[in-house]
Amino acid sequence: MKDTPLDIHECIEFLLENKGMTVYGLSKELGFDKPAKLYTILNRRTKPSYDTLVSITNRFDDINGDWLLRGTGEPYMNPSGSTPQIQSDRLNERNQNLEKQIADRNETIELLKQQIIILREVINHSHRNGTVQGKEVFS
């Protein structure tokens, strides 16, 4: 880490980047309904609440809470003592997070495809009936 302390926003940005997560992914991991809370924090319009900080440290037990609050020291609890197993666990966690993000995006894509099909049917039905938005179509 750099010599000058990070502010809380920079710590959360570091966490996102280091864990390979998006704001949406992190908000889901923390149990938030919407990512708006994190976007507001990351855009520096507000600081995270105590509950948000606790959620982060509870979800990521390898994060050094002192670093998160003060922006000094090491971001992880035991960085020098990382064993291959810990590194493997972190990679597995990151892989699971990425798989969740892919599954969420695939679900969104499928929903959008269904909406496109429905809209096409509505348009085709309107054209067959000779109306578009309630107005008669002139050929």
Side-chain angles (χ1 to χ4, degrees):
M1 296 300 327
K2 64 184 186 178
D3 293 333
T4 58
L6 300 174
D7 69 20
I8 191 74
H9 306 95
E10 292 170 319
C11 290
I12 295 173
E13 288 168 356
F14 174 88
L15 175 69
L16 282 169
E17 183 177 321
N18 200 261
K19 295 285 185 181
M21 301 181 79
T22 63
V23 175
Y24 179 76
L26 179 59
S27 67
K28 285 190 79 168
E29 285 290 320
L30 298 178
F32 301 157
D33 292 336
K34 299 176 184 176
K37 178 190 270 190
L38 287 178
Y39 279 116
T40 302
I41 292 167
L42 290 168
N43 289 329
R44 300 174 184 272
R45 286 182 281 194
T46 186
K47 291 188 178 185
S49 67
Y50 172 78
D51 290 338
T52 299
L53 295 173
V54 169
S55 295
I56 291 171
T57 56
N58 284 339
R59 171 58 189 91
F60 302 103
D61 57 1
D62 58 340
I63 293 295
N64 179 350
D66 190 52
W67 168 82
L68 184 62
L69 290 173
R70 299 173 194 232
T72 59
E74 294 296 327
Y76 293 100
M77 294 294 251
N78 192 8
S80 60
S82 290
T83 64
Q85 181 61 43
I86 291 172
Q87 291 172 350
S88 176
D89 290 346
R90 286 183 185 157
L91 288 173
N92 285 336
E93 180 181 349
R94 184 173 180 186
N95 189 40
Q96 288 173 350
N97 288 335
L98 291 171
E99 287 175 355
K100 284 181 190 176
Q101 289 176 15
I102 290 170
D104 288 344
R105 288 186 178 138
N106 287 342
E107 184 179 335
T108 300
I109 289 169
E110 287 304 313
L111 289 171
L112 290 171
K113 284 179 180 179
Q114 291 173 9
Q115 288 178 348
I116 289 170
I117 290 170
I118 291 169
L119 290 171
R120 284 182 178 157
E121 288 175 2
V122 167
I123 290 169
N124 288 336
H125 180 74
S126 295
H127 285 293
R128 273 184 262 132
N129 289 340
T131 61
V132 175
Q133 293 183 345
K135 298 179 181 175
E136 193 170 319
V137 177
F138 298 101
S139 304

